[in-house]
Amino acid sequence: MLKYFPVFKSVYETLNFSRAAQQRFVSQSTISQQIKQLETELGVKLFIRKGKREIKPTPVADELYTTGLKIWEQTRNLEHKISKMDSDEIDCRIGVSNTIAETTIATIFRDLHLPKNINLTLKMSNSTDIVEGLNQRKFDFGFIEKPITTTGIERFAFFKDYLVHAGNFADSTWLERESGSGVRHFTDEYLRLNNITPQQVFTIESNEMILKFLQQGIGQTITSKTVLNDEIPYHELGPNFKRDFYFLSQPTYQVDALNELKRQLHEILKQIRDEQKSSEK
């Protein structure tokens, strides 16, 4: 069945044998033949013709697409992983929290000499999800902005970030990051300390989107000073709203290339930390 699934997928998604043939770079007769072979193999009818060009999937086709797509994608992923096992290529997955992604991550990787056999994937997520991902080995490394500690994960503070109260202070709307994010942790603390109950709250999972609202004069928020531009008014919040950015890693890795990557990242992050300390003296 899986042999014919890519063709079935194209027909199901386009509902047109001709367009499916164009997608697959084969003739329309080849598409029709393979669909017939799949129907024979399964002993069911998958499509009903409605006129010369229009076709309609049967309920069996609906179920085959919904369930079969998951199986097909899992099979492809498994084949990809198996093929990688016979090569020197290494997949490295790094979770990056929102503010770090927008402010410092590119600087960190600018001076990194990445081994050629490492395939790097960076995913932006909130701090809590990144820590959970490291515990579940979904991430190899993490960059977070919330003081979370967890057994078996090393944490290194490399940058001081200053939070501010920004936006239209006459607007009763508060723009908040989602639960689990580093900024949300400090937002809740600010509201509690100042006995503020917002009349209206917009929960937004992106610093960039919050910035767009602020630029339009909508709402107020707690955010990193580093993400603001000159157009947006803000108030300093003092030392209680100074936070660290953290680098998370496993104590050691089974793959030498990841241990070398960890060593390089530590060196770069130490330099960033020392440069900031020197500039603030």
Side-chain angles (χ1 to χ4, degrees):
M1 181 190 76
L2 290 177
K3 174 183 177 183
Y4 302 115
F5 191 82
V7 170
F8 165 77
K9 177 175 176 291
S10 293
V11 175
Y12 185 91
E13 291 175 348
T14 62
L15 294 180
N16 186 289
F17 282 90
S18 178
R19 285 199 293 270
Q22 292 173 358
Q23 282 188 0
R24 305 298 304 171
F25 299 100
V26 296
S27 66
Q28 184 173 332
S29 61
T30 299
I31 294 291
S32 299
Q33 184 180 16
Q34 292 193 15
I35 292 296
K36 287 181 180 178
Q37 288 173 335
L38 179 57
E39 289 177 330
T40 300
E41 183 177 315
L42 296 176
V44 295
K45 191 75 173 174
L46 295 174
F47 297 100
I48 299 172
R49 291 186 177 274
K50 298 178 66 178
K52 292 184 178 180
R53 295 185 178 181
E54 187 179 356
I55 61 173
K56 180 182 178 181
T58 65
V60 175
D62 292 335
E63 179 62 27
L64 177 60
Y65 181 81
T66 301
T67 305
L69 186 61
K70 297 176 183 176
I71 298 172
W72 180 65
E73 289 176 344
Q74 289 172 352
T75 302
R76 291 180 68 196
N77 290 336
L78 179 59
E79 290 172 346
H80 178 70
K81 288 180 180 179
I82 291 173
S83 67
K84 286 290 187 69
M85 292 174 68
D86 284 335
S87 71
D88 293 330
E89 292 187 14
I90 299 164
D91 290 326
C92 177
R93 301 146 302 179
I94 301 178
V96 186
S97 63
N98 203 292
T99 304
I100 297 175
E102 295 175 359
T103 58
T104 60
I105 197 67
T107 302
I108 293 168
F109 280 84
R110 179 190 60 197
D111 298 322
L112 189 68
H113 299 290
L114 193 67
K116 292 183 178 179
N117 63 328
I118 288 185
N119 297 318
L120 199 63
T121 300
L122 281 76
K123 180 179 179 181
M124 191 162 66
S125 188
N126 68 51
S127 296
T128 300
D129 289 344
I130 291 170
V131 172
E132 183 179 337
L134 260 82
N135 284 326
Q136 297 175 355
R137 302 302 173 106
K138 293 179 180 178
F139 292 125
D140 299 294
F141 302 102
F143 291 89
I144 67 170
E145 52 204 69
K146 187 177 178 181
I148 306 173
T149 57
T150 183
T151 303
I153 301 296
E154 294 183 352
R155 191 181 77 173
F156 176 72
F158 67 91
F159 188 81
K160 296 289 184 184
D161 184 47
Y162 297 88
L163 296 172
V164 295
H165 179 198
N168 180 359
F169 305 118
D171 190 336
S172 61
T173 301
W174 274 80
L175 312 177
E176 297 183 354
R177 286 290 308 281
E178 75 283 2
S179 179
S181 76
V183 173
R184 176 60 178 270
H185 169 77
F186 285 95
T187 301
D188 291 343
E189 185 66 8
Y190 177 83
L191 295 175
R192 184 187 67 81
L193 289 172
N194 291 276
N195 197 28
I196 297 173
T197 302
Q199 294 183 21
Q200 187 173 42
V201 173
F202 294 174
T203 301
I204 303 175
E205 297 187 6
S206 164
N207 287 338
E208 184 178 1
M209 193 182 301
I210 288 176
L211 186 61
K212 297 293 185 184
F213 274 79
L214 297 179
Q215 288 171 336
Q216 296 299 318
I218 302 172
Q220 51 186 305
T221 193
I222 304 298
T223 191
S224 171
K225 185 177 178 180
T226 59
V227 304
L228 294 178
N229 56 39
D230 295 336
E231 303 172 11
I232 299 172
Y234 67 86
H235 298 320
E236 302 277 0
L237 294 178
N240 289 336
F241 289 85
K242 179 173 66 176
R243 61 177 180 168
D244 286 303
F245 287 169
Y246 300 98
F247 170 60
L248 305 181
S249 63
Q250 304 291 344
T252 187
Y253 296 87
Q254 295 181 347
V255 179
D256 289 340
L258 293 182
N259 287 316
E260 169 59 19
L261 180 56
K262 176 183 174 180
R263 185 195 67 77
Q264 285 194 49
L265 285 169
H266 262 291
E267 291 299 319
I268 292 170
L269 296 173
K270 285 177 183 177
Q271 184 176 351
I272 291 174
R273 180 198 61 189
D274 294 344
E275 287 177 353
Q276 186 183 39
K277 284 182 178 180
S278 177
S279 67
E280 293 179 349
K281 286 182 179 179

